[in-house]
Amino acid sequence: MKDLFSIAGKVAVITGGSRGIGAMIARGFLENGAKVYISARKEEELNTTAKALSAFGECVPLVADLGSQAGTEAFAKALQEREPQIDILVNNAGASWGAPLDDFPENGWDKVMQVNVKSIFFLTQKLLPQLRAAGSPEDPARVINIASINGITYPKLTNYSYSASKAAVIQLTRHMAVDLAGDNININAIAPGFFPSKMTEYLLDEEEETAPTSIPRQRLGQAEDIAGTAIYLSSRASAWVCGHTLVLDGGAVAQAG
């Protein structure tokens, strides 16, 4: 059982991989022997990250805009042209929007739902042939959807479409997991708590003193936390974990009650 957590030789795709949680997972995968494709909208930032990550393994950047159906399908096609099999798909790309309830705009709803929910469904759908080709009964292909504790507990923020989208990701994970389990594709999700990222940096200035002490584990999430969880969900060790959302938050949801 010494190789239970090995992902060596696997092909992984990570959307939104140029920064934050996506880049953390990408480094963890690369350091553990996987070939990793990362995507993002901004080409310069994507290429800079890929260059830095290439010190740890084979990292391939692909520009993709998952903010539209056409962009999602174009990204899937680019992957299909490069890889006959995909072992791991991490649906990490995300968007958020904040506005008071009385003023929350429709475009702030539609943009977030497109990236956070619709693109997950359709990118996974388009890559099913590659995922099916990679999976086996002993070691299925993996899809990991990045949800959020905001989809589980009250966010204390005016990010209405974001929290709704992440709740949808959790249910979509359950639904698709059951339908695809017989195809040797395991689908699970991770619901991160407070990690330093571009999406949370506006909170860090005002909460860097209080956020760690408000979390039972007394600190923010670190790269090793999210990478280790993603590696577990991608390895033989989790082959019988199917349709679940693993909460990764230092105890914040448990504390919320």
Side-chain angles (χ1 to χ4, degrees), residues 39-57:
S39 76
R41 287 186 302 111
K42 298 178 180 178
E43 185 172 10
E44 183 176 354
E45 181 180 62
L46 178 66
N47 289 337
T48 298
T49 299
K51 183 178 180 180
L53 289 175
S54 291
F56 307 104

Side-chain angles (χ1 to χ4, degrees), residues 231-247:
I231 289 168
Y232 164 66
L233 289 177
S234 301
S235 69
R236 174 61 184 86
S238 68
W240 216 44
V241 179
C242 180
H244 291 285
T245 295
L246 205 164
V247 177

Side-chain angles (χ1 to χ4, degrees), residues 194 196-197 200-212 220:
F194 202 161
S197 70
T200 62
E201 68 179 0
Y202 76 99
L203 292 170
L204 288 174
D205 290 340
E206 61 187 73
E207 292 196 26
E208 62 182 350
E209 296 298 326
T210 61
L220 302 181

Side-chain angles (χ1 to χ4, degrees), residues 33-86:
K35 175 183 179 180
V36 178
Y37 289 86
I38 60 172
S39 76
R41 287 186 302 111
K42 298 178 180 178
E43 185 172 10
E44 183 176 354
E45 181 180 62
L46 178 66
N47 289 337
T48 298
T49 299
K51 183 178 180 180
L53 289 175
S54 291
F56 307 104
E58 186 177 359
C59 184
V60 182
L62 288 178
V63 176
D65 183 0
L66 305 183
S68 70
Q69 182 68 3
T72 301
E73 292 181 1
F75 179 52
K77 183 177 180 182
L79 289 167
Q80 290 162 348
E81 291 171 349
R82 289 166 171 80
E83 297 291 343
Q85 297 185 4
I86 293 173

Side-chain angles (χ1 to χ4, degrees), residues 118-213:
K118 187 176 178 181
S119 75
I120 285 180
F121 180 84
F122 284 103
L123 181 59
T124 305
Q125 178 198 67
K126 300 301 180 187
L127 294 179
L128 284 177
Q130 285 68 37
L131 292 164
R132 287 183 176 121
S136 69
E138 296 76 22
D139 193 14
R142 314 303 169 95
V143 177
I144 302 173
N145 298 326
I146 303 301
S148 168
I149 62 170
N150 282 183
I152 300 171
T153 58
Y154 176 63
K156 302 179 183 177
L157 300 166
T158 59
N159 58 348
Y160 300 102
S161 56
Y162 181 81
S163 63
S165 74
K166 294 304 184 177
V169 168
I170 292 169
Q171 178 59 16
L172 184 64
T173 297
R174 294 189 192 105
H175 194 161
M176 294 180 71
V178 173
D179 291 343
L180 291 171
D183 290 353
N184 297 320
I185 300 172
N186 263 17
I187 303 183
N188 293 288
I190 301 171
F194 202 161
F195 280 77
S197 70
K198 185 74 172 179
M199 195 174 288
T200 62
E201 68 179 0
Y202 76 99
L203 292 170
L204 288 174
D205 290 340
E206 61 187 73
E207 292 196 26
E208 62 182 350
E209 296 298 326
T210 61
T213 56

Side-chain angles (χ1 to χ4, degrees), residues 7 10-13 29 34 86-90 131 142 144 234:
I7 58 169
K10 293 191 174 186
V11 174
V13 175
F29 281 2
I86 293 173
D87 299 283
I88 306 162
L89 170 62
V90 181
L131 292 164
R142 314 303 169 95
I144 302 173
S234 301

Side-chain angles (χ1 to χ4, degrees), residues 95-113 116 155 157-165 202:
S96 188
W97 197 292
L101 180 60
D102 288 358
D103 304 318
F104 202 92
E106 184 179 7
N107 62 321
W109 190 269
D110 293 345
K111 174 185 176 180
V112 170
M113 288 295 180
N116 293 7
L157 300 166
T158 59
N159 58 348
Y160 300 102
S161 56
Y162 181 81
S163 63
S165 74
Y202 76 99

